[in-house]
């Protein structure tokens, strides 16, 4: 997404967001997450302007989706023009997929490490390259 703000939903994802932002020449920010239970999380957005901007939330795993939902709702509440998600492992257990969509997320792009309707990024070239390097 041209000119997007890459947003890490928690400190752990900050490392991947920083790397992705540097590679793409995009702005980034990191949220602060408080987990109260498996399906009960609070995400505080950083003091970074999101109003009128496209936001892409970048994370490694989407299981219950609650962290993604909280970050998406927060960005939209602060006036984000759109919110998309890029995630490595799209587990989306139970009603997670429906919850993420209901939170206002426009697109979800995931790798094909876990089969899911959101798969848009193939890891085959990376694996093939790694295997070629072993021989």
């Amino acid at each position: 997404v041209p000119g997007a703000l890459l947003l890490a939903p928690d400190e752990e994802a900050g490392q991947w967001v920083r790397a992705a932002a540097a590679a793409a020449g995009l702005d980034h920010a990191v949220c602060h997450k408080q987990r109260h239970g498996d399906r009960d999380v609070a995400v505080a957005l950083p003091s970074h302007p999101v109003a009128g901007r496209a936001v892409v939330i970048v994370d490694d795993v989407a299981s219950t989706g609650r962290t993604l939902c909280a970050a998406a709702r927060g960005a939209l509440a602060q006036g984000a023009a759109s919110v998309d998600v890029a995630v490595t492992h799209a587990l989306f257990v139970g009603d997670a997929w429906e919850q993420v969509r209901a939170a206002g997320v426009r697109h979800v792009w995931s790798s094909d490490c876990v089969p899911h309707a959101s798969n848009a990024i193939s890891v085959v070239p990376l694996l093939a390259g790694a295997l070629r390097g072993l021989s």
Side-chain angles (χ1 to χ4, degrees):
V1 179
L5 168 67
L6 300 186
L7 187 65
D10 54 31
E11 291 83 0
E12 180 185 354
Q15 60 188 318
W16 301 298
V17 165
R18 283 187 285 281
L26 295 171
D27 196 10
H28 72 282
V30 179
C31 297
H32 176 73
K33 177 173 78 173
Q34 287 187 312
R35 182 173 293 284
H36 305 291
D38 285 346
R39 297 178 182 267
D40 184 14
V41 297
V43 174
L45 268 67
S47 58
H48 200 91
V50 299
R53 297 191 69 183
V55 172
V56 178
I57 300 170
V58 178
D59 208 353
D60 60 339
V61 178
S63 37
T64 67
R66 296 324 190 251
T67 301
L68 295 175
C69 289
R73 286 189 183 108
L76 289 167
Q78 289 189 14
S82 62
V83 175
D84 299 309
V85 169
V87 62
T88 305
H89 304 292
L91 302 179
F92 291 113
V93 296
D95 67 346
W97 178 249
E98 293 81 11
Q99 291 294 319
V100 167
R101 301 304 297 212
V105 171
R106 181 178 64 166
H107 300 293
V108 176
W109 305 292
S110 67
S111 76
D112 59 0
C113 291
V114 177
H116 189 266
S118 64
N119 291 165
I121 305 156
S122 177
V123 298
V124 171
L126 293 172
L127 294 174
L131 290 173
R132 276 192 292 276
L134 294 176
S135 25

